[in-house]
Amino acid sequence: MVFNSIHYLFFISVVFVLYFLLPAKQRWKLLLAASVYFYCTFDIKFLVLIAFSIFTSFFLAIKSEETADESKKKLFLHLAIWSSALILAVFKYYNFFAESGTELFASMGIAVSPLLIKIGLPIGLSFYTFQIIGYSLDVYYGVSKAERKLGIYSLYILFFPKLIAGPIEQSQNLLPQLHKEQNFDYNRITSGIKLIAWGLFKKVCIADRLSVFVDMVFSSPEQYSGLQSIIACYFLVFMVYTDFSGYTDMAVGAARIFGFNLIRNFNRPFISQNLTEFWKRWHISLYTWCYEYIYNPLSFNYRNWKQWGIILAIFATLTFSGLWHGAALTFIIYGVLHAIGLTAEYFLSPFRAKMKSTLPSLFYKYVSIAITFHFFLFTLIIFKSDTLSEAFYIIESFTKINISQFGLYLFGDYKIEFLLSFVFVFALLGMEYWQSKTDNYLSFHLKLPSFVRWSAYALMILIVVYFGVIKSNEFVYAQF
Amino acid sequence: MIKIFAKILLFALPAIIAVVITADKYDNGFIDFHYSKITGEGKSLIIGTSRASQGLIPEIVMQDTHFDSPMLNYAFTSYNSPYNKEYYRAIEMKLDPSTKNGIFILEIDPLAISENENEKTPSHLLSQQYIFHGDPNYEYLYRNVNPFYTLILRNNEGNPNCLPHKDGRLEIILNDSPAKTTERANEKLIAIKKEISHCKISDEKVEWLKKTIDLLKKHGKVILVRIPAWQPIIDAENKGFPNLNKILNEISTTQEIPYFDCSTFALKYAYIDGNHLNQESSKLFSKELNHLILSH
């Protein structure tokens, strides 16, 4: 049951009605039941796995908090982390390492026949596993108190708006909210609905539209010219952004309807002037998690190594985050490239400071934005490609362009879709710019007259219904 | 709460009106191979794959019979309508519950009751469909014309290679020169042989075939038929699925329904691509089937 389906629309409508008909104290139970149902619509057999992870982490966190013995505390922590992490490792990475090992042995002349696991990846596994690990660490370090109600803790993990592709919620944010009784707040609910509509627009009008051309080119790059490949690469950036941020908007909007504030996962990443800033604006929940639980501990533990300790922490964090996306060399290299970029930024910071003070501010700003954007674009090409050779083939096409050949004919039957893509992407960027002028996400429009607002809402729905591309595939990040 | 739903409905109204007006105005051209099966109605049905979709003409099959009419050709493709839970549901939803004396032709193509060991069975075309009646069928149009505004761009134009009839039958119009026909037949034979090499009869699909028969028997007479194809293709199927006729004969006996193995008539007919009867042969075979029905 994906977010952009009639089934989900019906589901959330029913849950919404029942939620506010129930007494406030009972509402969390409905959300828990709805979340279990939501998960089962993907694959009921994996419910056992997530239940196991929930039960073990719940009880081990309590045990960890209750004991004063430091070694026992550590034991419970490790059990909590590894009981979930091993499941993730087996389902997500076992086949990759088994096949890689086989290739390595084959290169040494040793024939090995690996036992591969032929079972799908449980939906949301990467996301909820990280949430569980983060929670276990928070309890161990005393950042959060262990949750004593199994039902509330289960809801914290299973909460359906964020279950399949995040945001990865930290315990300090969501758990306390689950204990509060949520009232019927008309403005909050309508704000959530608007956010869902906006996310849906991003997904079906932009992401799925761009993906038609992107998938065509990336699946057979040799059939397309350099210019077509380059345009596909630019489309790729906006496709991934609108797919993931669209999903996040729908998740945050759905949670808001029920009275919960989830972490914002994107904050206009394409205005970043450097990679450090970029990673504070892109997939914020993942990088917050990595920063809190990998970078900080490593940089602290290796602080005696001075700058090399920081570099080690950067490489470990970014490589790990690349690997988090999946068991493929391209994902690892994606992470490593960003680590190299951040390290270069670290060493070049005096030079950049000098440039900033020397050059005209607007020039410096926009050149920085362009460099950061294109660095991300190149790494995304590797991220998207199935193999490195495919990625290099596409990157090589950047050297084979002839701007004079640009024309709508390049897009064949995709011409109108190409023009619509441009219009919608510019509309998106314009809206984000306009919305950045206010503190509240999407609330700037409340200052407009009612007639204008209502017309805009109707127009939005008309655009989504009329121009939306309905694809049966899921959101890009749900596969991680 | 009511205010929220009322407002959503109000804001969605222009979009709903736009969809309805567009569908009403622009659904007269070629939509896809299957739209006429959704908008058409029939008390009697032809069920099966593309061989039946193209090869059986309802009007001719029903001629002089006493069964409830009209007949709708509700056969899709072996890819889109193998005998399974989803096709069963689609048949159940399409069935006119008032039918008491219908006739239901179940065409059996071995690929419709087999499974490919390398591929997961794809979802049926109609697995997400809720509304199976109505012309225009707004839900089908919205689901399958994507993005929806492209319906206007089609401008009610037909398809030079494909003519879907109101009775659900699909007429494919291709270059019928002997050279082209032979070329297509040879390509089809290679493709079918390759497919067969990875397939085996599926117990699950055979069970769903039986369930489909049980469902349809409540509304009239059920007939199993194997439609002829180019002899080399039939030979490949018989070789790849040596138990096929045994299975079908067993079903025929236990379910007490007739089974007409017309694959033995392969040499009597001509085919557009080896797999599907051409126009003239469709008429002839439909007549042949009509005679078999009348004489049984």
Side-chain angles (χ1 to χ4, degrees), chain A residues 6 13 16-17 20 184 186 189-190 193 209 416-417 420 454 457-458 461-462 464-470, chain B residues 1-5 7-8 10-12 14-16 18-19 22 128 130 142-143 146-150 152-153:
Chain A
I6 300 289
S13 301
F16 168 70
V17 170
F20 288 108
F184 186 96
Y186 178 84
I189 291 168
T190 53
I193 293 172
R209 172 164 275 109
I416 296 178
E417 291 290 285
L420 279 174
W454 291 11
Y457 302 152
I461 295 176
L462 182 65
V464 167
V465 166
Y466 228 70
F467 294 97
V469 176
I470 302 172
Chain B
M1 204 186 300
I2 294 173
K3 187 179 168 188
I4 288 173
F5 280 112
K7 271 191 166 175
I8 291 173
L10 181 67
F11 297 141
I16 295 170
V19 166
T22 305
Q128 302 291 318
Y130 290 99
Y142 192 75
R143 282 188 188 280
N146 197 273
F148 191 69
Y149 78 91
T150 56
I152 300 174
L153 299 180

Side-chain angles (χ1 to χ4, degrees), chain B residues 65-186:
Chain B
T65 67
H66 60 279
F67 297 107
D68 292 347
S69 62
M71 174 178 257
L72 175 70
N73 189 318
Y74 201 55
F76 295 85
T77 67
S78 60
Y79 186 79
N80 272 316
S81 57
Y83 288 98
N84 60 9
K85 180 180 173 185
E86 289 159 334
Y87 194 24
Y88 177 91
R89 175 184 166 268
I91 294 166
E92 196 178 25
M93 298 292 281
K94 191 66 179 174
L95 203 54
D96 183 341
S98 67
T99 303
K100 298 286 178 244
N101 187 37
I103 181 164
F104 304 99
I105 314 292
L106 269 59
E107 176 259 334
I108 308 297
D109 171 340
L111 292 178
I113 52 169
S114 62
E115 60 187 0
N116 187 316
E117 63 200 13
N118 295 333
E119 287 173 11
K120 194 179 160 188
T121 304
S123 289
H124 190 273
L125 170 76
L126 302 175
S127 62
Q128 302 291 318
Q129 186 82 7
Y130 290 99
I131 302 168
F132 284 78
H133 304 276
D135 185 8
N137 190 302
Y138 301 103
E139 187 198 357
Y140 187 91
L141 282 173
Y142 192 75
R143 282 188 188 280
N144 293 284
V145 178
N146 197 273
F148 191 69
Y149 78 91
T150 56
L151 187 61
I152 300 174
L153 299 180
R154 295 184 190 200
N155 201 23
N156 287 322
E157 284 172 5
N159 183 325
N161 295 122
C162 175
L163 181 62
H165 293 265
K166 288 277 181 202
D167 59 10
R169 178 174 69 100
L170 187 65
E171 184 180 341
I172 299 292
I173 305 155
L174 297 174
N175 182 336
D176 60 356
S177 68
K180 274 291 178 194
T181 305
T182 306
E183 185 187 332
R184 286 194 295 265
N186 286 325

Side-chain angles (χ1 to χ4, degrees), chain A residues 31 48 52 59 109 142 268 285 307 386 392 453 463:
Chain A
L31 284 183
V48 171
F52 171 79
F59 287 111
R268 301 181 70 212
S285 66
Q307 62 192 22
D386 290 330
F392 290 144
R453 282 189 285 117
I463 288 173

Side-chain angles (χ1 to χ4, degrees), chain B residues 202-215:
Chain B
S202 161
D203 291 337
E204 191 185 343
K205 286 184 181 162
V206 169
E207 279 311 302
W208 279 109
L209 169 61
K210 291 176 185 172
K211 284 179 186 172
T212 306
I213 294 169
D214 288 336
L215 168 69

Side-chain angles (χ1 to χ4, degrees), chain A residues 241 266-273 278 281-282 372 432:
Chain A
Y241 172 59
F266 293 88
N267 182 15
R268 301 181 70 212
F270 301 135
I271 64 166
S272 304
Q273 297 184 36
F278 181 83
R281 292 175 176 271
W282 178 275
T372 308
E432 290 194 345

